[in-house]
Amino acid sequence: MNEAMAYAQVQRETLDTTVQSYLPVVKKIGLHLVGRLPAHIELDDLLQVGLIALTQSWESYDPSQGASFATYASIRIKGAMLDEVRRSGWAPRSVQQKLKATSDAVRFLESRLGRSPSDAEIAAQLEMPLSEYQHMTSGFAGSRLLSVEDIDEEGIPGGDDPFQNIQDDGLKIALAAAIGELPEKEKLMMSLYYGEELNLKEIGAVLGVSESRVSQLHGQALARIRAKLSDWDK
């Protein structure tokens, strides 16, 4: 075996060892993300792109840049998975339209009633059965709150955390105020989901409701927040 072939063999063995060592990291990142995504996002798809990103990380890692390989690879893996989510269509246009219609209904009812409307009142305003309304709101989790691109490229519009990368200080203040005005159960759900990073099952256990009900509360909270932020959606 000549020197070039020997070097290539060592490199391959090192890569294989690295991949095996970091498989748990890829799986951990994938599980964390998929637990917060709509059901049509498959874990296997995320893991596949995560493994590709891990290999690419090994090939492009430069220790002189200061970051450890673990940090560098984790960022690349998560970024690749989020890109896959974007490509798969996080929230179809029809979902965005339904979120807007719901937010418009919430805004109208708040103006008329002088308080936050209930599920049943919003469903009635939308002229649909309560069960249909609740099913619809459970699909809002992947939706952007605003039509403008208020999230930087490190986050998904309306994605893993639709709030943390917002740069406009005025919008941040408006968001905080909107969340603070949510009904108590929805406010607690948002805190547990975005603040404590609990998954739907864990939040359901805290609130004493089913996972599907948590999804409904999440979607309805986003619709209420969007209603409060209507002046920003210009």
Side-chain angles (χ1 to χ4, degrees), residues 3-56:
E3 184 176 342
M5 292 179 64
Y7 177 76
Q9 179 66 25
V10 170
Q11 289 291 90
R12 170 53 57 187
E13 291 175 354
T14 303
L15 174 58
D16 290 343
T17 300
T18 299
V19 169
Q20 289 299 320
S21 298
Y22 281 85
L23 281 177
V25 176
V26 175
K27 186 173 183 180
K28 180 180 179 181
I29 295 172
L31 286 170
H32 177 75
L33 289 178
V34 82
R36 302 161 64 82
L37 296 173
H40 72 274
I41 304 297
E42 296 287 344
L43 176 60
D44 286 347
D45 293 336
L46 297 184
L47 296 181
Q48 182 175 348
V49 298
L51 286 173
I52 293 172
L54 173 59
T55 300
Q56 293 172 339

Side-chain angles (χ1 to χ4, degrees), residues 3 16 25 38 41 50 52-53 85 121 131 147 161 168 188:
E3 184 176 342
D16 290 343
V25 176
I41 304 297
I52 293 172
V85 171
E121 289 168 333
S131 60
S147 61
D161 184 339
D168 189 292
L188 176 57

Side-chain angles (χ1 to χ4, degrees), residues 8 35-36 69-70 79 85 118 126 144 150 152 173 224:
R36 302 161 64 82
F69 177 76
V85 171
S118 66
L126 292 170
R144 289 181 297 168
D150 51 42
D152 68 25
I173 293 171
R224 292 189 199 274

Side-chain angles (χ1 to χ4, degrees), residues 42-147:
E42 296 287 344
L43 176 60
D44 286 347
D45 293 336
L46 297 184
L47 296 181
Q48 182 175 348
V49 298
L51 286 173
I52 293 172
L54 173 59
T55 300
Q56 293 172 339
S57 297
W58 184 86
E59 294 171 346
S60 61
Y61 175 60
D62 181 358
S64 68
Q65 297 300 311
S68 68
F69 177 76
T71 298
Y72 176 74
S74 295
I75 292 171
R76 289 287 301 269
I77 292 165
K78 184 175 182 180
M81 289 181 180
L82 294 181
D83 285 342
E84 176 64 18
V85 171
R86 291 187 184 96
R87 283 192 295 270
S88 67
W90 174 274
R93 181 175 297 275
S94 61
V95 175
Q96 289 289 341
Q97 292 171 340
K98 290 174 182 177
L99 174 61
K100 184 180 185 304
T102 302
S103 298
D104 289 344
V106 169
R107 187 164 56 253
F108 172 79
L109 289 170
E110 285 181 340
S111 176
R112 193 183 74 181
L113 301 173
R115 58 172 173 78
S116 294
S118 66
D119 297 30
E121 289 168 333
I122 301 171
Q125 179 65 29
L126 292 170
E127 299 181 344
M128 64 174 59
L130 179 58
S131 60
E132 181 181 340
Y133 167 74
Q134 291 177 332
H135 176 75
M136 179 180 71
T137 56
S138 67
F140 289 166
S143 301
R144 289 181 297 168
L145 289 175
L146 304 177
S147 61

